[in-house]
Amino acid sequence: MAQMHRPATGTCPGCHEPLESGDRYCGACGYDLSAVPAAAVDSPTVVLGTPVAGEAWPAARAAEGPAAAAVHLPTDLPGTDSGGSPLPGPARHDEPGGAAEAAEYPLQAPDPRAADPSALGDRATHVSTPLKVCVACRAGRVDDDGYCENCGHAQPRERDHMEQELGPVAAVSDRGLRHHRNEDAFAVSTTALPDGSPAVVAIVCDGVSSATRPDEASAAAAARANESLLQALPQGTHPQQAMHEAIVAAAEAVNSLAGPPDPAPDHDPQRHQNAPACTLVGAIAAGGLLVVGWVGDSRAYWVPDDRTTPPARLTEDDSWAAQMVAAGLMSEADAYADERAHAITGWLGADAYELEPHTAAFKPDRSGVVVVCTDGLWNYAEGAEEMAGAVPADAAERPLHSAQVLVGHALDGGGHDNVTVAVVPFAVPRPGAGSAYN
């Protein structure tokens, strides 16, 4: 979601320090110079307008009370919004007779980090393991300050590429090929419900690049939402209620990053304060329910294991294009072709007009996976059929590999944005069979 940073001639586009001929990384800040085409044009997501009106949500499930409404999902996977009514038709490009397929992107040179897994060192398998081998000379050892002892190059920041696998859920985040930092974040976790059955959680956040410190906003939101869910689910809170509370908690975490108003006498009260902001999408697989929640334009897709049955998009964007289509003012094709299409109308941040978390509950009748992702991925696989085509057939058995493949799909398509994806398997046990998570 970060805005395009155009490189200046002879200087680093990240810190503007002078560069030497042949530099692949900036010696001052570690900027990857090989991954920034000078003539690239980006279409970043920006904050615009008023949030889409939200819906009510069910109360937490009491021991003696009924469970929140959820419907059995036939092959076309209909869902319910948080008020129990059918979800509005998502703004998809995969419906018969609908808009044209998403625009194809020319293939770009592969990211050198992706082409050579050794460039990531031990980071390839764990989010918090430091880089050991220099990405520039491929031979020098990296000292504690992050510089190569052989060639002196500063190393890319650890957040440029992150991976995590935790039991049945996995996620991967990458800076992409055009941006100087990764403003996405994720959190994945597992816990247990009061009856001992498993609950799997994935949260994905995308920093709003037109705001200040978007990377901090996404990290704070993902961590706080995950923490909230790990507290609520074991206590018996219904997953849909827990998701709503987690989004509210994430919003409070992002709000806390905003500084106090400028007390200067000449301060213009109408001046936009540009507080840290991000979008959020999350998924919970627990108790036979699949619950999604979101604010903004990050998405969740359902991809069944049986690819002869149709996939579906489970979220509705808080975006200018979605509003234009919903209001009947533009066709889907025209709205998504407009340069304002990705302007978001809902986000987490102190300058959001009003927080309206969206939640929806589903009860799939067959096994599959949920793909939870930022627009850095779905820009290259926008329709549900396109997304399903990019997901490996063995995604339920190899979620980390599948997340890696999906990130590679975005990088192969151009990598214009940060890209983050979590893969959450959802197993429906066969009669007489145990859970796939046992």
Side-chain angles (χ1 to χ4, degrees), residues 3-368:
Q3 294 179 344
M4 174 58 64
H5 192 138
R6 295 180 181 276
T9 303
T11 62
C12 172
C15 63
H16 302 293
E17 288 293 317
L19 299 173
E20 298 178 4
S21 177
D23 276 353
R24 298 176 60 189
Y25 289 84
C26 175
C29 70
Y31 196 110
D32 184 355
L33 301 171
S34 66
V36 184
V41 177
D42 196 15
S43 298
T45 303
V46 296
V47 172
L48 175 72
T50 305
V52 176
E55 301 288 346
W57 65 94
R61 177 173 59 188
E64 70 279 7
V71 296
H72 286 275
L73 301 184
T75 56
D76 58 353
L77 199 74
T80 58
D81 66 13
S82 48
S85 58
L87 281 175
R92 300 195 300 228
H93 282 194
D94 59 324
E95 297 176 352
E101 298 284 342
E104 294 185 359
Y105 294 85
L107 294 179
Q108 304 293 322
D111 184 348
R113 297 168 297 147
D116 182 4
S118 66
L120 292 174
D122 291 344
R123 285 193 314 161
T125 56
H126 196 281
V127 62
S128 61
T129 305
L131 189 67
K132 300 298 184 182
V133 179
C134 176
V135 301
C137 68
R138 302 288 196 272
R141 178 173 123 5
V142 178
D143 63 22
D144 293 339
D145 294 326
Y147 288 86
C148 176
E149 295 179 347
N150 179 48
C151 66
H153 277 279
Q155 302 304 295
R157 289 160 292 198
E158 185 175 352
R159 194 164 164 180
D160 284 354
H161 186 91
M162 303 179 291
E163 299 186 1
Q164 186 175 8
E165 184 174 35
L166 187 62
V169 61
V172 176
S173 182
D174 194 273
R175 189 193 67 220
L177 304 181
R178 304 295 183 90
H179 293 307
H180 71 286
R181 67 179 176 185
N182 189 358
E183 295 171 0
D184 289 356
F186 68 80
V188 294
S189 59
T190 60
T191 186
L193 302 181
D195 64 2
S197 61
V200 180
V201 171
I203 301 292
V204 167
C205 297
D206 189 349
V208 176
S209 61
S210 60
T212 58
R213 296 150 57 203
D215 52 333
E216 295 180 34
S218 62
R224 185 66 188 93
N226 185 63
E227 178 185 350
S228 176
L229 289 170
L230 291 181
Q231 291 174 346
L233 292 171
Q235 296 174 0
T237 304
H238 189 277
Q240 194 168 2
Q241 174 70 12
M243 179 62 78
H244 177 95
E245 294 172 356
I247 295 174
V248 172
E252 292 171 351
V254 178
N255 292 351
S256 69
L257 298 176
D262 188 350
D266 59 349
H267 172 64
D268 179 1
Q270 303 301 319
R271 183 175 66 86
H272 178 54
Q273 298 203 20
N274 203 26
C278 69
T279 68
L280 180 149
V281 62
I284 304 171
L289 284 179
L290 171 58
V291 172
V292 295
W294 72 98
V295 173
D297 66 346
S298 292
R299 294 180 176 180
Y301 292 83
W302 167 257
V303 180
D305 291 345
D306 179 1
R307 300 303 173 84
T308 64
T309 59
R313 201 176 96 203
L314 305 179
T315 57
E316 188 75 28
D317 295 346
D318 289 325
S319 71
W320 180 90
Q323 282 195 335
M324 293 299 103
V325 174
L329 299 176
M330 298 179 72
S331 70
E332 184 177 321
D334 290 341
Y336 279 90
D338 193 284
E339 62 182 7
R340 297 165 289 182
H342 289 275
I344 59 174
T345 56
W347 63 92
L348 307 183
D351 59 355
Y353 295 112
E354 185 177 0
L355 178 63
E356 295 287 356
H358 308 291
T359 63
F362 304 88
K363 193 165 187 179
D365 62 357
R366 65 202 62 210
S367 298

